[in-house]
């Protein structure tokens, strides 16, 4: 009697490849348009936590496998737990924790977008520090269309685009194209599909070329100061610049500029 075939193993939910100081993370649920299941969010969280402690990584690119970037939360998973308040709370708390991790990550994060980025997927794009998109891609917060207002995506969206435009997206659920997303400040640039890879890599390489310490200081300071009033923001950033000025990389960078040579960063 022939041996019973072993069950096929499930493909990994998240793929990671590192090269040249850039960590590329690929959400790998193409059939579900990379919907954010609890398992995928947990995997993303754990990987980002690892990257935060990895000094060899200077920038991160997040993308999606298949036909789209990310379609938001896994609605089938949510409906399978019908009425389970504790499960719903755990899902949205995990998603919020993941978005905060992206913001607090020492390394800049670039969203590489194609196809669609909707609901929590649009939230992720708005949360990432930078974003490059295929010119044919679309963005939206369509939760209102199915009776589930995009309240947590609203947090990132309202901090990335003007208030009235954010509310129009949230209240109508209508999609916007990449050109409109550029105009609103949701993404940095829209490029031809054939150029998406090279343009995203080029942007990441520009970040990698800078002092990792300076980039870390700057990213943290950016997100803190935007939440302050004007006086508090200047007081805080004056202290940040003072500390930055005392760093070895600042001394090296200034000396290199004066001496007309390339700086040699030490990350301290």
């Amino acid at each position: 009697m022939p041996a019973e075939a072993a069950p096929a193993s499930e493909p990994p939910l998240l793929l990671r490849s590192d090269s040249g100081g850039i960590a590329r993370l690929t959400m790998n649920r193409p059939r579900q348009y990379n919907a954010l299941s609890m398992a995928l969010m947990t995997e993303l969280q754990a990987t980002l936590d690892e990257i935060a402690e990895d000094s060899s990584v200077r920038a991160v690119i997040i993308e999606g496998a298949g036909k789209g970037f990310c379609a938001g939360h896994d609605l089938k998973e949510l409906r399978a737990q019908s009425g389970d308040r504790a499960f719903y709370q755990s899902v949205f708390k995990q998603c919020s924790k993941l978005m905060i991790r992206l913001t607090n990550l020492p390394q800049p994060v670039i969203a590489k977008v194609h196809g669609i980025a909707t609901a929590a997927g649009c939230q992720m794009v708005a949360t990432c520090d930078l974003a490059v998109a295929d010119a044919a891609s679309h963005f939206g917060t369509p939760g209102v269309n199915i009776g589930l207002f995009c309240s947590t995506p609203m947090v990132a969206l309202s901090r990335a685009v003007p208030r009235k435009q954010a509310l129009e997206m949230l209240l109508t659920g209508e999609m916007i194209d990449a050109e409109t997303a550029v105009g609103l400040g949701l993404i940095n640039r829209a490029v031809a599909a054939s150029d998406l890879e090279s343009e995203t890599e080029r942007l990441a390489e520009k970040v990698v070329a800078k002092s990792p310490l300076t980039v870390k200081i700057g990213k943290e300071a950016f997100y803190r100061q935007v939440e302050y009033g004007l006086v508090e923001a200047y007081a805080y950033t004056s202290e940040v610049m003072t500390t930055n000025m005392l760093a070895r990389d600042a001394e090296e960078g200034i000396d290199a500029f004066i001496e007309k040579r390339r700086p040699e960063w030490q990350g301290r």
Side-chain angles (χ1 to χ4, degrees):
M1 183 176 182
E4 187 174 329
S9 59
E10 290 292 325
L13 294 173
L14 185 68
L15 306 175
R16 175 179 174 179
S17 63
D18 291 23
S19 177
I22 303 169
R24 183 189 298 273
L25 305 182
T26 304
M27 296 177 286
N28 192 37
R29 302 187 74 209
R31 292 183 183 178
Q32 297 82 16
Y33 281 82
N34 304 305
L36 294 175
S37 63
M38 272 293 284
L40 176 55
M41 289 191 292
T42 301
E43 186 73 17
L44 268 167
Q45 180 81 44
T47 302
L48 290 169
D49 287 345
E50 291 176 3
I51 287 173
E53 304 298 325
D54 188 345
S55 61
S56 70
V57 176
R58 309 272 284 274
V60 178
I61 295 173
I62 295 182
E63 60 186 321
K67 295 182 179 180
F69 177 75
C70 178
H73 286 293
D74 189 327
L75 297 179
K76 289 184 177 180
E77 181 179 70
L78 290 174
R79 287 298 293 132
Q81 303 294 328
S82 179
D84 188 340
R85 182 181 183 87
F87 179 76
Y88 297 159
Q89 286 179 324
S90 67
V91 167
F92 299 122
K93 284 182 179 179
Q94 177 58 59
C95 185
S96 298
K97 182 180 177 183
L98 174 60
M99 300 303 162
I100 293 169
R101 172 78 276 187
L102 287 168
T103 300
N104 291 342
L105 198 74
Q107 302 92 335
V109 184
I110 304 170
K112 177 188 171 190
V113 187
H114 73 292
I116 60 167
T118 54
C122 186
Q123 177 185 6
M124 184 178 289
V125 174
T127 301
C128 286
D129 305 300
L130 302 169
V132 182
D134 177 346
S137 58
H138 286 78
F139 306 80
T141 48
V144 69
N145 295 331
I146 60 170
L148 183 65
F149 198 84
C150 286
S151 297
T152 46
M154 174 172 63
V155 174
L157 186 66
S158 65
R159 284 162 169 75
V161 308
R163 182 174 297 183
K164 283 183 169 57
Q165 283 75 18
L167 276 168
E168 182 174 347
M169 291 177 66
L170 291 159
L171 291 170
T172 67
E174 293 180 350
M175 302 286 277
I176 62 171
D177 59 26
E179 182 180 356
T180 302
V182 171
L184 294 180
L186 180 60
I187 62 175
N188 294 86
R189 62 199 66 163
V191 300
S194 58
D195 296 329
L196 181 59
E197 176 73 20
S198 61
E199 285 296 318
T200 307
E201 287 284 340
R202 187 175 294 115
L203 185 58
E205 288 167 358
K206 288 181 179 179
V207 172
V208 169
K210 307 302 187 286
S211 157
L213 175 66
T214 305
V215 168
K216 176 183 177 181
I217 289 171
K219 176 176 172 176
E220 179 183 0
F222 178 85
Y223 288 111
R224 287 188 63 178
Q225 64 84 25
V226 294
E227 300 298 333
Y228 292 157
L230 185 64
V231 174
E232 294 82 2
Y234 272 117
Y236 164 65
T237 53
S238 293
E239 285 301 311
V240 171
M241 287 205 74
T242 299
T243 301
N244 193 170
M245 188 66 199
L246 293 168
R248 179 66 188 89
D249 274 3
E251 294 177 348
E252 166 64 12
I254 294 169
D255 288 347
F257 177 78
I258 293 171
E259 296 164 12
K260 296 180 173 56
R261 61 175 175 80
R262 293 177 66 86
E264 296 181 6
W265 306 123
Q266 297 182 23
R268 60 184 179 87

